[in-house]
Amino acid sequence: MTDGASADSAVVLETDRLLLRPWRVAEAVVQRELWTERDPRVPPHRRIDADGHPTVAELEDSIRTNELWSSGLLAVERKASHDVIGYCGLVDTGRGAAGELELAFELLRRVWGQGYATEASLVVLDWARSSGHERLWATVWDWNTASRRVLAKVGFTETERKEVDPERGTTLFTTRRL
Ligand SMILES: CC(C)(COP(=O)(O)OP(=O)(O)OC[C@H]1O[C@@H](n2cnc3c(N)ncnc32)[C@H](O)[C@@H]1OP(=O)(O)O)[C@@H](O)C(=O)NCCC(=O)NCCS
């Protein structure tokens, strides 16, 4: 696996099967599909509302204006088919210690179970390490077996910290030294 920056210094990370790179505006449809597929236990602000928001146009706008989509949560593109299947990257949620980022990932259901989240996460860990980060966090619902398994596979361990929501489940705080 390699990581680095392209000529215009956009982040581009590469693995055997994947490229992780900034989102393109036209790929807002993929983000909308991720929103529609979310588990009903995910909190309402992360699900499509009764009026259909966020719309594709709103997500396009977000890709244009929010740096998160160019240098944080990167589009995961399959090299063989050139399709974008979700995101993986780093985000500052403010839930870790100052300056410590969270690993986050989400993929379209049709590609689950092929090791893509694990492969993408490993190159993001390399990226974080080479950018000078010493520790990352990841939060995960206790019921999210697949995500917990991915985090365990790439070396995250559970901490004592938990947030209990009686309706939605418990958020587990996991961490990994780089
Ligand atoms: C979490 C997610 C990204 C995983 O993507 P993926 O590409 O399928 O992950 P991988 O194939 O790399 O690994 C999944 C692992 O979980 C295991 N797994 C998946 N579903 C499982 C289940 N219901 N019970 C037990 N294990 C399960 C798989 O067997 C695999 O482990 P293995 O390699 O030991 O067999 C994907 O399920 C997703 O997008 N979920 C919705 C968004 C989300 O939960 N994001 C994370 C928020 S913390």
Side-chain angles (χ1 to χ4, degrees):
M1 288 194 256
T2 59
D3 62 312
S6 70
D8 61 0
S9 54
V11 182
V12 180
L13 312 179
E14 185 169 4
T15 70
D16 286 350
R17 297 180 294 171
L18 305 170
L19 280 183
L20 278 68
R21 46 85 174 156
W23 283 85
R24 297 173 187 147
V25 173
E27 290 154 357
V29 286
V30 179
Q31 292 196 355
R32 185 87 178 16
E33 199 174 350
L34 289 169
W35 277 77
T36 62
E37 290 186 349
R38 283 188 184 142
D39 189 285
R41 291 167 288 189
V42 169
H45 72 275
R46 298 197 64 234
R47 301 185 45 219
I48 303 283
D49 74 12
D51 298 323
H53 297 287
T55 61
V56 170
E58 287 163 345
L59 293 169
E60 285 173 349
D61 210 39
S62 159
I63 293 172
R64 267 188 215 100
T65 58
N66 193 337
E67 273 188 22
L68 181 68
W69 303 118
S70 56
S71 56
L73 298 180
L74 303 171
V76 177
E77 176 185 320
R78 289 194 285 196
K79 291 199 290 195
S81 44
H82 301 290
D83 55 339
V84 172
I85 56 171
Y87 63 78
C88 183
L90 301 171
V91 60
D92 187 0
T93 58
R95 294 198 280 195
E100 291 183 344
L101 303 182
E102 271 193 51
L103 172 72
F105 41 69
E106 183 173 19
L107 300 179
L108 294 170
R109 286 179 185 263
R110 60 177 171 273
V111 306
W112 288 4
Q114 300 175 61
Y116 289 130
T118 305
E119 188 169 323
S121 296
L122 286 172
V123 78
V124 167
L125 295 186
D126 290 345
W127 174 41
R129 191 180 296 110
S130 65
S131 306
H133 294 283
E134 293 178 357
R135 182 160 82 151
L136 293 180
W137 292 86
T139 53
V140 61
W141 294 104
D142 55 351
W143 46 260
N144 192 341
T145 314
S147 182
R148 288 178 70 176
R149 178 77 192 121
V150 172
L151 291 172
K153 283 196 289 181
V154 303
F156 281 75
T157 52
E158 286 178 23
T159 66
E160 297 288 298
R161 193 167 162 203
K162 294 177 175 40
E163 279 174 11
V164 180
D165 177 331
E167 281 173 31
R168 308 199 170 274
T170 297
T171 300
L172 307 174
F173 285 70
T174 72
T175 190
R176 188 197 198 282
R177 289 215 168 269
L178 296 175

Coordinates of all heavy atoms in Angstrom, one line a residue, residues 24-85:
R24 N -16.0 13.9 -6.0 CA -16.4 14.8 -7.1 C -17.8 15.1 -6.9 O -18.6 14.3 -6.4 CB -16.1 14.1 -8.4 CG -14.7 13.8 -8.6 CD -14.4 12.9 -9.8 NE -13.0 12.5 -9.8 CZ -12.5 11.4 -10.3 NH1 -13.3 10.5 -10.8 NH2 -11.2 11.1 -10.2
V25 N -18.2 16.3 -7.4 CA -19.6 16.8 -7.2 C -20.6 15.8 -7.8 O -21.6 15.5 -7.1 CB -19.8 18.2 -7.8 CG1 -21.2 18.6 -7.8 CG2 -18.9 19.2 -7.1
A26 N -20.3 15.2 -8.9 CA -21.2 14.3 -9.6 C -21.5 13.0 -8.7 O -22.4 12.3 -9.0 CB -20.7 13.9 -10.9
E27 N -20.6 12.8 -7.7 CA -20.8 11.6 -6.9 C -21.7 11.8 -5.7 O -21.8 10.9 -4.8 CB -19.4 11.1 -6.5 CG -18.6 10.6 -7.6 CD -17.1 10.6 -7.5 OE1 -16.6 11.2 -6.5 OE2 -16.4 10.2 -8.4
A28 N -22.3 13.0 -5.7 CA -23.3 13.2 -4.6 C -24.4 12.1 -4.6 O -25.0 11.8 -3.5 CB -23.9 14.6 -4.7
V29 N -24.7 11.6 -5.7 CA -25.7 10.5 -5.8 C -25.3 9.3 -4.9 O -26.2 8.6 -4.4 CB -26.0 10.1 -7.2 CG1 -26.8 11.1 -8.0 CG2 -24.7 9.7 -8.0
V30 N -24.0 9.0 -4.9 CA -23.5 7.9 -4.1 C -23.7 8.3 -2.6 O -24.2 7.4 -1.8 CB -22.0 7.6 -4.3 CG1 -21.5 6.5 -3.5 CG2 -21.8 7.3 -5.8
Q31 N -23.4 9.5 -2.2 CA -23.6 9.9 -0.8 C -25.1 9.8 -0.5 O -25.5 9.4 0.6 CB -23.2 11.4 -0.6 CG -21.7 11.5 -0.7 CD -21.2 12.8 -0.1 OE1 -21.9 13.7 0.3 NE2 -19.9 13.0 -0.1
R32 N -26.0 10.2 -1.4 CA -27.5 10.1 -1.2 C -27.9 8.7 -0.9 O -28.7 8.3 -0.1 CB -28.2 10.7 -2.3 CG -29.8 10.8 -2.1 CD -30.1 12.1 -1.4 NE -31.5 12.4 -1.1 CZ -32.6 11.7 -1.1 NH1 -32.5 10.4 -1.4 NH2 -33.7 12.2 -0.8
E33 N -27.3 7.8 -1.7 CA -27.6 6.3 -1.6 C -27.2 5.8 -0.2 O -27.9 5.1 0.5 CB -26.9 5.6 -2.7 CG -27.5 4.2 -2.9 CD -26.9 3.5 -4.1 OE1 -26.1 4.1 -4.9 OE2 -27.2 2.3 -4.2
L34 N -26.0 6.3 0.3 CA -25.5 5.9 1.6 C -26.6 6.4 2.7 O -26.9 5.6 3.6 CB -24.2 6.5 1.9 CG -23.0 6.0 1.2 CD1 -21.7 6.9 1.4 CD2 -22.7 4.6 1.6
W35 N -27.1 7.6 2.5 CA -28.1 8.1 3.4 C -29.3 7.3 3.4 O -29.9 7.0 4.5 CB -28.4 9.6 3.1 CG -27.5 10.6 3.6 CD1 -26.3 11.0 3.0 CD2 -27.7 11.5 4.7 NE1 -25.8 12.0 3.8 CE2 -26.6 12.4 4.8 CE3 -28.8 11.7 5.6 CZ2 -26.5 13.4 5.7 CZ3 -28.7 12.7 6.5 CH2 -27.5 13.5 6.6
T36 N -29.8 6.9 2.2 CA -31.0 6.1 2.2 C -30.9 4.7 2.8 O -31.8 4.1 3.2 CB -31.5 5.9 0.7 OG1 -30.5 5.2 0.0 CG2 -31.8 7.3 0.1
E37 N -29.6 4.2 2.8 CA -29.4 2.8 3.2 C -29.2 2.7 4.7 O -29.0 1.6 5.2 CB -28.2 2.2 2.5 CG -28.4 2.0 1.1 CD -27.2 1.2 0.4 OE1 -26.1 1.1 1.1 OE2 -27.3 0.8 -0.7
R38 N -29.1 3.8 5.5 CA -28.7 3.8 6.9 C -29.7 3.0 7.7 O -30.9 3.1 7.5 CB -28.5 5.2 7.4 CG -27.2 5.7 6.9 CD -26.8 7.0 7.6 NE -25.5 7.5 6.9 CZ -25.2 8.7 6.6 NH1 -26.0 9.7 6.9 NH2 -24.1 9.0 6.0
D39 N -29.1 2.3 8.7 CA -29.9 1.5 9.6 C -30.9 2.4 10.4 O -30.6 3.5 10.8 CB -28.9 0.9 10.6 CG -29.6 -0.1 11.5 OD1 -30.3 0.3 12.5 OD2 -29.4 -1.3 11.3
P40 N -32.1 2.0 10.6 CA -33.1 2.8 11.3 C -32.7 3.2 12.7 O -33.3 4.1 13.2 CB -34.4 1.8 11.3 CG -34.1 0.7 10.5 CD -32.6 0.7 10.1
R41 N -31.7 2.5 13.3 CA -31.3 2.9 14.6 C -30.3 4.1 14.6 O -30.0 4.6 15.7 CB -30.6 1.7 15.3 CG -31.5 0.6 15.6 CD -30.8 -0.7 16.0 NE -30.2 -1.3 14.8 CZ -29.6 -2.5 14.8 NH1 -29.6 -3.3 15.9 NH2 -29.1 -3.0 13.7
V42 N -29.9 4.5 13.4 CA -29.0 5.6 13.3 C -29.8 6.9 13.6 O -31.0 7.0 13.2 CB -28.4 5.7 11.9 CG1 -27.7 7.0 11.6 CG2 -27.4 4.5 11.7
P43 N -29.3 7.9 14.4 CA -30.1 9.0 14.8 C -30.7 9.8 13.6 O -30.1 9.8 12.5 CB -29.1 9.9 15.5 CG -28.0 9.0 16.0 CD -27.9 7.9 14.9
P44 N -31.8 10.4 13.8 CA -32.5 11.1 12.7 C -31.7 12.1 11.9 O -31.9 12.2 10.7 CB -33.7 11.8 13.4 CG -33.9 11.1 14.7 CD -32.5 10.5 15.0
H45 N -30.8 12.8 12.6 CA -30.1 13.8 11.8 C -29.1 13.2 10.8 O -28.5 13.9 10.0 CB -29.3 14.8 12.8 CG -28.1 14.1 13.5 ND1 -28.2 13.4 14.6 CD2 -26.8 14.1 13.1 CE1 -27.0 12.9 14.9 NE2 -26.1 13.4 14.1
R46 N -28.9 11.9 10.8 CA -28.1 11.3 9.8 C -28.9 10.4 8.9 O -28.4 9.6 8.2 CB -27.0 10.4 10.5 CG -26.1 11.2 11.4 CD -24.8 10.5 11.8 NE -24.0 10.2 10.6 CZ -23.6 9.0 10.3 NH1 -23.8 7.9 11.1 NH2 -22.8 8.8 9.2
R47 N -30.2 10.7 8.9 CA -31.1 9.9 7.9 C -31.9 10.9 7.1 O -32.1 12.1 7.5 CB -32.0 9.0 8.7 CG -31.1 8.0 9.5 CD -31.8 6.9 10.2 NE -32.8 6.3 9.4 CZ -34.0 6.0 9.9 NH1 -34.3 6.1 11.2 NH2 -34.9 5.4 9.2
I48 N -32.4 10.5 5.9 CA -33.2 11.3 5.1 C -34.5 11.7 5.8 O -35.1 10.8 6.4 CB -33.6 10.6 3.8 CG1 -32.3 10.1 3.0 CG2 -34.5 11.4 2.9 CD1 -31.6 11.1 2.3
D49 N -34.8 13.0 5.9 CA -36.0 13.4 6.6 C -37.3 13.2 5.8 O -37.2 12.8 4.6 CB -35.8 14.8 7.2 CG -36.0 15.9 6.2 OD1 -36.4 15.6 5.0 OD2 -35.6 17.1 6.5
A50 N -38.4 13.6 6.4 CA -39.7 13.3 5.8 C -39.9 14.1 4.5 O -40.6 13.7 3.6 CB -40.8 13.7 6.7
D51 N -39.1 15.2 4.4 CA -39.2 16.1 3.1 C -38.1 15.7 2.1 O -37.9 16.4 1.1 CB -39.1 17.5 3.5 CG -40.2 18.0 4.4 OD1 -41.3 17.5 4.2 OD2 -39.9 18.8 5.4
G52 N -37.4 14.7 2.4 CA -36.4 14.2 1.4 C -35.0 14.9 1.5 O -34.2 14.8 0.6
H53 N -34.8 15.6 2.6 CA -33.5 16.2 2.8 C -32.5 15.3 3.5 O -33.0 14.6 4.4 CB -33.6 17.5 3.6 CG -34.4 18.6 2.9 ND1 -34.0 19.3 1.8 CD2 -35.7 19.0 3.1 CE1 -34.9 20.1 1.4 NE2 -36.0 19.9 2.1
P54 N -31.2 15.4 3.3 CA -30.6 16.2 2.2 C -30.9 15.7 0.8 O -30.9 14.5 0.6 CB -29.1 16.2 2.5 CG -28.9 14.8 3.2 CD -30.2 14.6 4.0
T55 N -31.1 16.6 -0.1 CA -31.3 16.2 -1.5 C -29.9 16.0 -2.2 O -28.9 16.4 -1.6 CB -32.0 17.3 -2.2 OG1 -31.2 18.5 -2.2 CG2 -33.4 17.6 -1.6
V56 N -30.0 15.5 -3.4 CA -28.7 15.4 -4.1 C -28.1 16.7 -4.3 O -26.9 16.9 -4.2 CB -29.0 14.7 -5.5 CG1 -27.7 14.7 -6.4 CG2 -29.4 13.2 -5.3
A57 N -28.9 17.8 -4.6 CA -28.4 19.1 -4.8 C -27.7 19.6 -3.5 O -26.6 20.3 -3.6 CB -29.5 20.1 -5.2
E58 N -28.3 19.4 -2.4 CA -27.7 19.8 -1.1 C -26.4 19.1 -0.9 O -25.4 19.6 -0.4 CB -28.6 19.6 0.0 CG -29.8 20.6 0.0 CD -31.0 20.2 0.8 OE1 -31.1 19.0 1.2 OE2 -31.8 21.0 1.1
L59 N -26.3 17.8 -1.2 CA -25.1 17.0 -1.0 C -24.0 17.5 -2.0 O -22.8 17.6 -1.7 CB -25.4 15.5 -1.2 CG -26.2 15.0 0.0 CD1 -26.7 13.6 -0.4 CD2 -25.5 15.0 1.3
E60 N -24.5 17.9 -3.2 CA -23.5 18.4 -4.2 C -22.9 19.7 -3.6 O -21.7 19.9 -3.7 CB -24.2 18.8 -5.5 CG -24.6 17.6 -6.4 CD -25.4 17.9 -7.6 OE1 -25.9 19.1 -7.7 OE2 -25.6 17.0 -8.4
D61 N -23.7 20.5 -3.1 CA -23.2 21.8 -2.5 C -22.2 21.5 -1.4 O -21.2 22.2 -1.2 CB -24.4 22.5 -1.9 CG -24.2 24.0 -2.0 OD1 -23.6 24.4 -3.0 OD2 -24.6 24.7 -1.0
S62 N -22.5 20.5 -0.6 CA -21.6 20.2 0.5 C -20.3 19.7 0.0 O -19.2 20.0 0.6 CB -22.3 19.1 1.4 OG -21.4 18.4 2.2
I63 N -20.3 18.9 -1.1 CA -19.0 18.5 -1.7 C -18.2 19.7 -2.2 O -17.0 19.7 -2.0 CB -19.2 17.4 -2.8 CG1 -19.8 16.1 -2.2 CG2 -17.9 17.2 -3.6 CD1 -20.3 15.1 -3.3
R64 N -18.9 20.6 -2.8 CA -18.3 21.8 -3.3 C -17.6 22.7 -2.2 O -16.6 23.3 -2.4 CB -19.3 22.7 -4.0 CG -19.4 22.5 -5.5 CD -20.3 23.6 -6.1 NE -21.0 22.9 -7.2 CZ -22.3 22.5 -7.1 NH1 -23.0 22.8 -6.1 NH2 -22.8 21.9 -8.1
T65 N -18.3 22.8 -1.0 CA -17.9 23.8 -0.1 C -17.3 23.2 1.2 O -16.6 24.0 1.9 CB -19.2 24.6 0.4 OG1 -20.1 23.7 0.9 CG2 -19.8 25.3 -0.8
N66 N -17.5 21.9 1.5 CA -17.0 21.4 2.8 C -15.7 20.6 2.6 O -15.7 19.6 1.9 CB -18.1 20.5 3.4 CG -17.7 20.2 4.9 OD1 -16.6 20.3 5.3 ND2 -18.8 19.9 5.6
E67 N -14.6 21.1 3.2 CA -13.3 20.5 3.0 C -13.3 19.0 3.5 O -12.4 18.3 3.2 CB -12.2 21.3 3.8 CG -11.6 22.4 3.0 CD -10.5 23.0 3.7 OE1 -9.9 22.3 4.6 OE2 -10.2 24.1 3.5
L68 N -14.3 18.7 4.4 CA -14.3 17.3 4.9 C -14.3 16.3 3.7 O -13.7 15.3 3.8 CB -15.7 17.2 5.6 CG -15.9 15.8 6.2 CD1 -15.0 15.5 7.4 CD2 -17.4 15.7 6.7
W69 N -14.9 16.7 2.6 CA -15.0 15.7 1.5 C -13.8 15.7 0.5 O -13.7 15.0 -0.4 CB -16.3 16.0 0.7 CG -17.5 16.0 1.5 CD1 -18.4 17.0 1.8 CD2 -18.0 14.8 2.2 NE1 -19.4 16.5 2.6 CE2 -19.2 15.2 2.9 CE3 -17.6 13.5 2.4 CZ2 -19.9 14.4 3.8 CZ3 -18.3 12.6 3.2 CH2 -19.4 13.1 3.9
S70 N -12.9 16.6 0.8 CA -11.6 16.6 0.0 C -10.4 16.2 0.8 O -9.5 15.7 0.2 CB -11.4 18.0 -0.7 OG -11.4 19.0 0.3
S71 N -10.5 16.4 2.1 CA -9.3 16.1 2.9 C -9.5 15.4 4.2 O -8.6 15.2 5.0 CB -8.5 17.4 3.2 OG -9.3 18.3 3.8
G72 N -10.8 14.9 4.4 CA -11.1 14.2 5.6 C -11.7 12.8 5.3 O -11.0 11.8 5.4
L73 N -13.0 12.8 4.9 CA -13.7 11.6 4.6 C -13.6 11.4 3.0 O -14.3 12.0 2.3 CB -15.1 11.6 5.0 CG -15.3 11.8 6.5 CD1 -16.8 11.8 6.9 CD2 -14.6 10.7 7.3
L74 N -12.6 10.6 2.6 CA -12.3 10.4 1.2 C -13.2 9.5 0.5 O -13.7 8.5 1.1 CB -10.8 9.9 1.1 CG -9.8 10.8 1.8 CD1 -8.4 10.1 1.8 CD2 -9.7 12.2 1.1
A75 N -13.5 9.7 -0.8 CA -14.2 8.8 -1.6 C -13.4 7.5 -1.8 O -12.2 7.6 -2.1 CB -14.6 9.4 -3.0
V76 N -14.1 6.4 -1.7 CA -13.4 5.1 -1.9 C -13.8 4.6 -3.3 O -15.0 4.3 -3.5 CB -13.8 4.1 -0.8 CG1 -13.2 2.7 -1.1 CG2 -13.4 4.5 0.6
E77 N -12.8 4.6 -4.2 CA -13.1 4.2 -5.6 C -12.4 2.8 -5.9 O -11.3 2.6 -5.5 CB -12.5 5.2 -6.5 CG -12.6 4.9 -8.0 CD -11.9 5.9 -8.9 OE1 -12.0 7.1 -8.6 OE2 -11.3 5.5 -9.9
R78 N -13.2 1.9 -6.5 CA -12.6 0.6 -6.9 C -11.8 0.8 -8.1 O -12.3 1.4 -9.1 CB -13.7 -0.4 -7.1 CG -14.3 -0.8 -5.8 CD -15.1 -2.1 -5.9 NE -16.4 -1.8 -6.6 CZ -17.4 -2.7 -6.6 NH1 -17.3 -3.9 -6.0 NH2 -18.5 -2.4 -7.2
K79 N -10.5 0.4 -8.1 CA -9.7 0.6 -9.2 C -10.1 -0.2 -10.5 O -10.0 0.3 -11.6 CB -8.2 0.2 -8.9 CG -7.6 1.2 -7.9 CD -6.1 1.1 -7.9 CE -5.5 -0.2 -7.3 NZ -4.1 -0.1 -7.0
A80 N -10.7 -1.4 -10.3 CA -11.0 -2.2 -11.4 C -12.2 -1.7 -12.1 O -12.3 -1.7 -13.4 CB -11.3 -3.6 -11.0
S81 N -13.2 -1.1 -11.4 CA -14.5 -0.7 -12.0 C -14.7 0.8 -12.0 O -15.7 1.3 -12.6 CB -15.7 -1.4 -11.3 OG -15.5 -1.4 -9.9
H82 N -13.8 1.5 -11.4 CA -13.9 3.0 -11.3 C -15.1 3.5 -10.6 O -15.5 4.7 -10.9 CB -13.7 3.6 -12.7 CG -12.4 3.3 -13.4 ND1 -11.2 3.7 -12.9 CD2 -12.2 2.4 -14.4 CE1 -10.3 3.2 -13.7 NE2 -10.8 2.4 -14.6
D83 N -15.8 2.7 -9.8 CA -17.0 3.2 -9.2 C -16.7 3.6 -7.7 O -15.8 3.0 -7.1 CB -18.2 2.2 -9.2 CG -17.7 0.8 -8.6 OD1 -16.5 0.5 -8.6 OD2 -18.6 0.0 -8.2
V84 N -17.4 4.6 -7.2 CA -17.2 5.0 -5.8 C -18.2 4.2 -5.0 O -19.4 4.2 -5.3 CB -17.4 6.5 -5.7 CG1 -17.4 6.9 -4.2 CG2 -16.3 7.2 -6.4
I85 N -17.7 3.6 -3.9 CA -18.5 2.7 -3.1 C -18.8 3.2 -1.7 O -19.4 2.5 -0.9 CB -17.9 1.3 -3.0 CG1 -16.4 1.4 -2.5 CG2 -17.9 0.6 -4.4 CD1 -15.8 0.0 -2.2

